[in-house]
Structure formats: C-alpha cells, structure tokens
Amino acid sequence: VILLVSYLKISVSIAPIQLEFKMNMSHDRFEMTMERKLRTPQFWFLALLIHVLPSAVVATDDVTQGILKMVRTFDVSSETSDLNTTATKSCKFNGTVTFSHPISLRETDRFFSTGQLLFTGMKMVVDYINAFRCGIHIGENNYSISLITYGDESSESKTREVGNIIVKNSDVFLAGYSSKLTGQLAPIAEEYEKILVAPGSSLPSVFKNRDWVFGTLGTGNSHRKIPIAALAAKGAKSIAYVEEEGIDCGNLVDWATLYELNLTSSNYVGSSPTVDIFYPLAKKMSIENPDIMVTCVFELGCEQWIKAMRKANWSPKAQLLTVCVGSSNFQMSTGRDIDYMLGETMWHPNLAAKDAITGWSAAEFSELFYQTSFRDVTYQAVSGAAAVSILVQAIEKANSINNALLREQLASQYFLTMFGNITFDENGQSESPPVLLQYDISGKLKVVDPLKPDTLLYPMPSWGFQDCVKYGQCTAQSGECQPDGTCLCGSSQQFPLGVGVNATCKDKILEDMTYIGTSLLAVGIIFISLQVGMSVLAIVWTILLRKKTIVRASQPIFLIIIALGCVVISSSIIPMGIEAEYRYTKDVTNGLLTEKPNVAVEVADRACMAFPWLYGIGFTITFSALFAKLWRIRFIFSAATSFVRKKVEAKDVAVIMVIMLMVELVILLTWQIVAPLKWERNILVTDSYGFAIKSVGQCTSQSGRWFLLTLIILHILCLLYALYLSYVTRSIPSMFSESKWIAAAIISMLQILVLAIPIHLIVEENTKGTFFVRACVVFLQSATVTIFVFAPKMFVYYYGMENANQRGYSPTTGSESTLRRAKN
C-alpha cells in the first residue's frame, strides 16, 4: 500500500454535493507477471485496484444536480505494462471508450446490496482490461474503458432521468439491477439506437421488439426445460410435480408435453408444509411412481419432502428441487439423503466456462470476487462481469464502436464468458441455459452438462440401496449392494440378510442343487458335435456325388433329409442341459421361498418342452425318410411282379413323410397346450434353520407322462411296421443292398429306444444319470442311422468290388459292372 500511495497524485475538490478523486498511475513501474491463477500477487494487486483506482463522484454540466456520478478510468496518456507476459511491454492508449450505466449507489436504496454485487463484477473486468490488457483493441490501437456510473436510487423515474441525460455522451449502455429499472432504459436505447446490455433483467417484455437491447440472463420460464430435456434423453417417461403456495413451477406442463412425458398428477400444498402434510402425497406418488418428481417448494419444504419420501419408502428415478440445491443449510439439514438430488441455478463456480477477455474461469472469478469484496459470489456479480466482457468482445469483433456494427455482432456471434457461453435469441436474451446441479454419491455438488449424459446420475437408486452403500456392512464384507437394498455377497459361502442399513452377509451351508455338472455337459456337446460333423460330411458327400449312380439310385433328397433329421435329434441334447433354481425367489431374510416368481425359470420351462419337440420332430423326419425308402422298394417290386412298369419319384413318397409328421405335430401340440412340462425344484434335505441343503430340479407335468407314453408307443409301432416291411422286402434285389442297411438302422433305433426305457426309470431321480442316459440314447439313435445309411455307400464307392470282397462286403445283387456304374 505504501508503494502504491507513493505514486498516487490525489486531489480533492468540494462541490455542493460532489466529491472528486483523480488518480494517474504509470503501470510500467511494476514488474509483475499475470499468471491468471488464484492467490498470485497479481490477483491481490487487482483486488487492491478495485478499491483505489480512480473513482469520482462529480457533477458535470450535462448532469442534473443531485445525481451521484462515479467515473472509473485510466489516464489515456499514461503507459502501462502488459502483465499477461513475463516481459514488461510498454503500452499506450489511443483513446477512451465510454461505458455508462445506472446503479443503486446509496445504502438506503432498495437494490443497493444486489446492485453492488453487479457493480463489483463490472469494475473487476474493467480494471483488468485497463491494467493488464492494454484496454480494448480496435485495429492496431488501444482504448481504455471509462466506466461512468450514475446513481438511480432504485427508482424508475430517476433511472429514466439518468438515461435521457447520458445517452448522448456514452458509447454503449449497461443497465443496472432489476427488470423494472431496465425497462426504463430500454426505450431510450431503442430511440437513440444505442446498444444496451442488461445484466440484471430476465423479463421478456423488457427486450421484446427492441433490436438494440440485449440481456445476459435467460428467461425464467425456460429453466425447467433443461433438466426435463436431459432426463427425457436418459429414458424418463413420466413426471409429476408439487407446488407450495407462493412459488411457481413455470411452464412445466408445456415442457412435459414437448418431451412426451406422461404427467401423472399436479399437486399443491399450502405454505410451510410439514412431513405430515407431505406424507399422503408421498404415498400417492409411490402408487403413481413417476420417473421424475419436481418439487417447487421453498428451502424448508425441501427437507420436509425428503423426510416424507423416506417415511413412505419411495423415491423417484429423478428428484428435481427448484430452490434448495446448493444451499449449505439444506445440505446440513438433509445429510446424506441429499445424494442424487437435482437442482438448477443461473450460475455456479463449478461451471466449465472461461472468459475470452480475462481468461478467468468460473472458479477463478469466484475466488477473486471474494478476495475483492469479501462476499460470496452470486450470479448477479458474474452477469455484470460478463456484460462488460461481451461488449468488449463485440467491439473487437466489429473492429469498431459503431453501434449498428455492434448490434450485428451481438445478434449473431458466440461469446465466451465466465458466466457461460452466451448467444442471444431473437428477443435479445441470452440463450445460455441455466446450470444443472446434482449431488453425487459422496454428497458433493457437481455441475451436470446436459449435452454429456454421463455427467447426469440417473436413475436415482432406492433408499434401501443408498442406505446399504452408506451405512450397511455389505461392502465391508466384500459384498455388493443391490437395487432393492439387499446385499449380493462376494462369497458363495455367505447368505444375504437384511435390507438397507441392516444389509449384511452371513455364512451358510451351501445347498447341493444337484446340477448336471460341466463334465457331463461337455459330453453332451461332444455328442452334438460328432453328429453334426457326420451329418455335414454326409450331406456334402451326397451333394458332390448326386449324379453318381450309387447316390442317384438312393434318391439324394432322402439322403439329405435323413442327415438333417439326425441333426435335429442330436440337438435335443441342448435343452436337456438347461437348469434353473427354484420357481419362486427366496426371502433374503430367512432363505424361505416366497410367492414372487423367478423369471429365470421361464427359460427352463421352455427347455423342458423343447426336448420332446426336437427329439420327436427329428425322429419323425429320420424315420419317415427311411420308411419311405422301404415303401418305394416294395412298391416297385410289387409293380414288377405284375409286369407293370412304374416310376416312383420323390414327390410320390413325400406324402408318407408329411402324414407321419402331421401326426407327430398333433400329439406334440396337444401336449404343449394341455399339460406342458414345467421346471420344478424340490427340496430333499434342510438344516435346522429350514435352509435347503439339497434339492433336485426336473421337468414335470401332471398329465405329461401320458403324452410321453403315447409318443413312445407310436414310435415303437412305427419301427415294428418298418421292420415288417424290411422282412417282406428281404429277398428283393436292390442295388448296393440298401434295404438291408435300412433295416439295420431301424433295428438299432428300436433296440436303443426299448433298452432306454427301463434304464431311464432307474435313474429318474438322479439328475446326472438322467442326463447321461438321455444324451446317450439320442446320440446313439442319430449316429447309428447316419452310419448304416451312408457308410456302406461310401465304402462301395471308394473301395470297389475287389476291396469290398476282401473286407467281407457282398452286395445282394450286381456285379463288377454294377459297381462300375456306381462310380459313373
């Protein structure tokens, strides 16, 4: 201070009601570096400048006696160092740009307190530009800012009087605080075509149809739009709200309609509502269960509403509070229940914004403002600072102080300020959205970027989950809290108990669910893989050699159908390996079954019926193809004995296959409708506490056995009749002994089916045994058919008569010429 005072030239003159202070300062005497960081000497120096730089209370010829006037400027003839660089640079001003504005200067003025916040923000930016930036840059010239402030006495008439006086000698206007006072300046600026930037007004009527008036505050009616749009983008589908007497939720209904949100209800309460008043509403909301709950209440009402939601044990996916978020009193009274709560404000120090003129971020401005004024920063102060910055940016972009050019810049350009990134709408008001705030999972207030969905915590978890995370023993025991507030234990040796605060894990005896096991499942996969491999090989071989006699004589289409049918049979092993737990969920507090269905059992239910469908359809496809081939041989032989030449094509025997398939489908469909198989798990052994120690799961149905028995009898009868046809046609000469190998395939299918029935009954209560027996039956049936049908043909084709005789293969009829034709 002594250093500064030694360079000050102070003159004091007394007028009837005026006191004038003038200061000339040469900044090139100070060698400092402006790092744009908090708590640096330069910031303390700037804070000091705010208090000692030239401020004058004067009366001039053009100002009426009794109007307080303050002039804040630098001597344009002085030199100043550029403190933005480490090296001192001489800087000269080529002139002055005048910013004039009214403000409440007397402590008795109605808007004095708020007006001084706005005024301090203006002064900080003006002093920075003059002291550290060499003023405004227009072309290659530097112009200092002269900030002329007039007392408006918080009066509309006085504001109008000041406006009419200063409009003639000001380059641009800055308005003071309040929409009513700004409304007195706006017509004057419009009449004289002078730019007016209003940092303290948000009323749309002030700006409507006025091309020369701009405001840095957005309209209050649009505030609800930002959070609702962000929540709708996150998947919210419904909304409800409650209004306390004396506060308005704004255009909430319009925004809900715009973003296609179902408005479940609108609710109203009197002033100062308590928990008892809010509780019935909270219970009502628990029934409606809207995704978004908007609470338009005063600060004390916020606390009472949250307690009511607690009492009702209900919470929405998003709770939007229009007033309370950010209040230290609210945070202290609510405690950790504040987590996930959403709110909005015009500005916050955590806002990701940086001013293009000063380089100050929102956080830096906040701390510098406190160092300057010893008051917490408010959005009014930041708005005032942003108004000055926007005017300077517009002047430098227009490279002129011509108001018409400035208007074009303000109406079309994008301005980076510590108040946010600002553009102006067609009404001249800032389009910069309000700041959306949210308390994170640790209770810290964070800024939510609506354009970055990841910054918004949605949905808000239940109270049980929050209590489990904050106060329960779940996480301490290596568990994980679940959405319903229970604990998912980290060890399979533990059992979850309790909800919320009481959520914990308790050691338990593991229940033997008698699952099939991975080793047996691997065996099933191997069986399926082998069969698919054989069928694919057979199909490819058939297609490649379809024009050869040995394949053409057996009708390739039937060979392919047999191979595909075997694949379908083997695929029935897949649903046999699908298991589940109990049909109903367990109570986490006692381990007993509840009446709440277990959705995972639906998959097991479908698998239960998938097995007979796959096996039955696969069996019918395979058998009908074999049966059709036998019928074809007999039909041709019967025609030959009657000396009638007949040609049997594939379509002639396809009718047989369709009929057999339809019969199978009717039985299976009736089974599916009348008595489908369902997954059931039965407890075999329990401990002394009633917890299951051993259980077994299987597919059951009250009448299912009759349908299964019907299918078994049908299959056995079909196989027996096929054997009868094989016996009847045993002496019929057929090329390459096809009837003999078809008979062998049918015999193997019958043997496996008959032997499997008693074995299956023996191991029915054993899960592993049942799976193994069924898997073996399925694989053996499909594999033996594939081998008996295709292996002999391949053997004959690749080895010929000579090699066939050496290996004991003797066709029923034919000769070496026949075998040669087989390869042709």
Side-chain angles (χ1 to χ4, degrees), residues 49 72 355 685 744:
L49 289 180
R72 193 173 195 83
D355 190 77
V685 183

Side-chain angles (χ1 to χ4, degrees), residues 584-662:
Y584 299 96
T585 58
K586 284 187 176 182
D587 189 330
V588 296
T589 59
N590 54 29
L592 300 178
L593 295 178
T594 67
E595 295 182 357
K596 183 179 180 181
N598 182 1
V599 294
V601 175
E602 295 179 4
V603 178
D605 286 343
R606 289 192 288 268
C608 285
M609 280 306 298
F611 169 71
W613 273 95
L614 290 173
Y615 178 81
I617 297 300
F619 176 89
T620 304
I621 292 173
T622 303
F623 172 78
S624 61
L626 293 173
F627 182 81
K629 292 177 73 64
L630 285 174
W631 181 87
R632 172 176 170 269
I633 294 172
R634 185 186 180 190
F635 182 80
I636 294 174
F637 178 74
S638 299
T641 56
S642 301
F643 299 99
V644 178
R645 180 180 179 86
K646 289 188 177 182
K647 182 180 180 181
V648 181
E649 298 182 356
K651 63 180 181 180
D652 298 323
V653 294
V655 176
I656 300 174
M657 299 177 61
V658 171
I659 293 174
M660 298 184 67
L661 186 60
M662 291 300 297

Side-chain angles (χ1 to χ4, degrees), residues 36 84 91 93 97 99 125-126 128-130 132-145 172 355-359 387-403 405-410 413-416:
R36 296 181 181 175
N84 286 316
C91 173
F93 292 112
V97 177
F99 290 9
V125 177
V126 168
Y128 177 88
I129 293 172
N130 285 335
F132 302 129
R133 197 175 177 274
C134 294
I136 303 174
H137 308 315
I138 302 177
E140 297 180 355
N141 298 323
N142 300 326
Y143 292 81
S144 66
I145 298 176
V172 290
D355 190 77
I357 297 298
T358 64
V388 175
S389 175
I390 289 171
L391 278 173
V392 174
Q393 292 181 57
I395 291 172
E396 293 187 348
K397 289 179 180 180
N399 204 28
S400 171
I401 58 173
N402 180 283
N403 275 242
L405 296 177
L406 294 182
R407 185 183 67 172
E408 294 178 4
Q409 294 296 322
L410 290 171
Q413 295 298 313
Y414 189 82
F415 301 95
L416 305 179

